[in-house]
């Protein structure tokens, strides 16, 4: 039996953590043996049909913008196509020796065409970009709305890196495509279509000559798409896995160093970074091959166009000016064709990212049973509860626990005993694999996830301080709270003095980019949120562990005041906190080993008594003079 020390242990819930990470590719146990496990159950990715359906649904609400953008771009592109015939006419005038005066009107028209085309292109690009931003905003909002409602168990199973990579890198890829690639691709596609129409108007034989390049281009695109789509999708997954590993290794650096897993995590990072790099290099190789094929298509098309023009001029079918206009038309296709096909590269990447966002946005929302709500009574009853993070590796087994409304119960046990897992299962973060839980006499299956969240508030060591005014951060727990109610909540947990001493009091901007709160202040903030939320049941999972000895005592007093009037479950890091509880429940190996008051358990001489004796000895040794 290990002793429970006053300072935070780096090895908190090691067995539980190992079980949680059992879905990762490889886990090294303490003996150094590598064991292969299945990959994480990543969040879903939408199919092409699902992504297209989602886009159509969004665009239906913006028909006017779609039509306006299309009309302006078509008009601008059509005006621009007048350039080649005007230049061809000028060539004919020169060949016929019409004199400088005959060139005035065509030259003026060229200037007008250039100005009109530029204005229409700018307006059309702005409309397309606006349409793209509108679609992106709709997809992003739908993604965020659904992501915030995902079951926490589902997010933990996938890994936070998967969700973070979607909301950061995937959104960034789509945003870049919307702002740069989409307008350019739209203009290029319209230019290609209307230029081919222009060639047909000049002479259908010029169009046939131009189409000789089409088979090579079509085969090139087919070759590219068949290879690029899987590579881009694989790259997004590999990037997400790398980001998740970075979060795991950096976020858990203390545990990694405590167990001397530095080399293991460095190897994992190297492997996942190498996998992402290799996929990226495969993509570059595909792009290089794609453009070499496009260059061949240009050579074939231009050679056919010049040959056709020569033959038609020689037999008098067309004038030199017409042949010149046709050649200029085809030459003007180089940039839009290459741009459109080049942007397929961006489209593939953006499509893969969009599919990852739509995949989450299409997930079914949590279902709240009719009539589900937070019970008024804070009683908690756990019967035959079992839970396992991986098959065959139970963390909790046949746990029976009954907590009376308003009772304060401390969960105690060695690292890996199942304390945190029990707390999370009761809070609804994880679903039990067996047994039942009732809150206020109502089965949690009847309450539903939303009802459980209203009934139970879980506070852990990891408190997030949202960016913005401190008052608004507090109002997350009760949106309609008045300033006086905020001060009352802060005062109840002993945080009002330091909160009002901030540069701008409750209006001080905290969080990212704002005033930095200490660990103790952040925990005070979490406890004040608890008071404002006022749930019947509160669970504190090592909530004072990171504050240091003196800070922990202050926070324990604040936690005791925050728990007044509600049922409290405390995952006790410090045994004095357990001693102050109404009852102590000792967990061992995922089972309830002992239960009773502090005095009863010390007198019983069991596991808790051994923990208390070890802690008392460590305190006496620490206080003894050197």
């Amino acid at each position: 039996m290990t002793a429970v020390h006053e300072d935070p242990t780096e090895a908190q819930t090691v067995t539980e953590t190992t079980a949680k990470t059992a879905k990762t590719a490889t886990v090294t146990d303490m003996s150094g043996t590598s064991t292969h496990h299945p990959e994480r159950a990543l969040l879903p990715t939408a199919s092409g049909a699902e992504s297209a359906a989602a886009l159509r649904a969004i665009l239906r609400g913006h028909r006017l913008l779609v039509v306006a953008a299309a009309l302006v771009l078509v008009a601008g592109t059509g005006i621009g196509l007048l350039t080649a015939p005007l230049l061809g006419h000028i060539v004919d005038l020169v060949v016929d020796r019409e004199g400088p005066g005959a060139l005035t009107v065509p030259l003026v028209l060229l200037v007008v065409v250039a100005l009109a085309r530029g204005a229409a292109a700018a307006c059309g690009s702005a409309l397309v970009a606006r349409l793209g931003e509108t679609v992106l905003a709709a997809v992003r909002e739908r993604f965020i709305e659904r992501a915030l409602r995902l079951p926490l168990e589902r997010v933990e199973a996938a890994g936070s890196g998967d969700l973070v990579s979607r909301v950061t890198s995937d959104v960034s890829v789509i945003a870049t495509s919307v702002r740069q690639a989409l307008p350019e691709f739209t203009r290029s596609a319209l230019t290609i279509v209307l230029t081919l129409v222009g060639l047909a108007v000049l002479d259908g034989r010029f169009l046939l000559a131009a189409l000789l390049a089409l088979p090579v281009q079509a085969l090139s695109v087919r070759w590219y798409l068949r290879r690029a789509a899987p590579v881009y999708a694989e790259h997004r997954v590999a990037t997400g896995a790398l980001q998740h590993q970075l979060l795991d290794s950096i976020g858990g650096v203390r545990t990694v160093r405590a167990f001397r897993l530095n080399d293991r995590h460095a190897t994992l990072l190297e492997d996942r970074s190498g996998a992402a790099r290799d996929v990226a290099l495969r993509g570059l190789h595909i792009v290089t091959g794609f453009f070499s094929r496009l260059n061949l298509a240009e050579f074939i098309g231009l050679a056919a166009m010049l040959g056709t023009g020569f033959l038609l001029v020689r037999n008098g079918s067309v004038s030199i000016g017409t042949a010149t206009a046709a050649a200029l038309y085809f030459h003007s296709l180089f940039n839009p064709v290459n741009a459109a096909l080049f942007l397929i590269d961006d489209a593939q990447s953006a499509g893969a990212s969009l599919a990852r966002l739509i995949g989450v946005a299409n997930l079914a929302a949590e279902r709240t049973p009719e009539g589900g709500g937070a019970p008024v009574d804070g009683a908690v009853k756990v019967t035959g509860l079992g839970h396992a993070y991986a098959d065959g590796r139970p963390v909790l087994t046949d746990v029976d626990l009954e907590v009376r409304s308003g009772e304060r119960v401390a969960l105690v046990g060695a690292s890996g005993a199942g304390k945190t897992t029990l707390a999370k299962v009761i809070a609804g973060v994880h679903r039990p694999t067996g047994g039942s839980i009732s809150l206020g006499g109502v089965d949690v299956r009847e309450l539903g996830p939303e009802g459980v969240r209203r009934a139970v508030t879980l506070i852990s060591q990891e408190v997030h301080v949202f960016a913005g005014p401190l008052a608004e951060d507090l109002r997350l727990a009760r949106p309609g709270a008045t300033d006086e109610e905020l001060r009352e909540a802060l005062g109840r947990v002993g945080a009002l003095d330091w909160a009002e001493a901030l540069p701008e009091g409750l209006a001080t901007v905290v969080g990212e980019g704002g005033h930095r709160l200490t660990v103790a202040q952040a925990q005070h903030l979490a406890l004040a949120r608890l008071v404002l939320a006022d749930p019947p049941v509160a669970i504190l999972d090592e909530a004072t562990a990171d504050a240091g000895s003196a800070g922990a005592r202050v926070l324990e007093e604040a936690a005791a005041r925050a728990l007044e009037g509600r049922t409290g479950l405390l995952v006790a890091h410090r045994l004095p906190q357990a001693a102050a509880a109404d009852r102590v429940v000792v967990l061992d190996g995922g089972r309830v080993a002992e239960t009773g008051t502090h005095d009863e358990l010390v007198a019983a001489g069991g596991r808790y008594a051994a923990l208390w004796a070890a802690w008392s000895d460590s305190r006496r040794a620490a206080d003894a003079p050197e």
Side-chain angles (χ1 to χ4, degrees), residues 52 56 113 117 123 141 174 201 232 237 246 251 275 316 318 380 384 409 437 506 509 523 564:
R56 285 195 299 270
V113 165
R117 180 186 183 185
C123 183
E141 289 166 10
I174 298 173
V201 170
Y232 280 114
V237 173
L246 284 169
V318 298
V380 178
V409 173
I437 304 171
L506 299 189
V509 174
Q523 289 290 353
E564 290 174 359

Side-chain angles (χ1 to χ4, degrees), residues 406-429:
E407 187 179 17
R408 194 172 306 171
V409 173
L411 302 178
V412 173
S415 294
K419 307 183 298 296
T420 293
T421 299
L422 177 58
K424 288 187 174 182
V425 172
I426 294 174
V429 176

Side-chain angles (χ1 to χ4, degrees), residues 75-76 79-80 82-83 86 104-120:
I79 293 171
L82 296 175
T83 301
L86 285 172
T104 303
V105 173
L107 290 174
V108 171
L109 288 176
L110 280 175
V111 173
V112 173
V113 165
L115 294 175
R117 180 186 183 185

Side-chain angles (χ1 to χ4, degrees), residues 484-495 527-529 531-532:
E484 186 56 36
E485 287 173 327
L486 299 184
R487 289 187 175 86
E488 183 180 339
L490 289 168
R492 182 168 169 180
V493 298
L527 292 171
R529 288 182 196 145
V531 173
L532 289 165

Side-chain angles (χ1 to χ4, degrees), residues 15-16 385-387 394-400 414-419 421-422 586-593:
T15 302
E16 295 177 58
L385 188 69
H387 183 74
V395 179
L396 298 175
T397 307
D398 293 328
V399 174
D400 292 324
S415 294
K419 307 183 298 296
T421 299
L422 177 58
V586 182
L587 293 175
D588 182 58
R591 300 175 183 269
V592 175

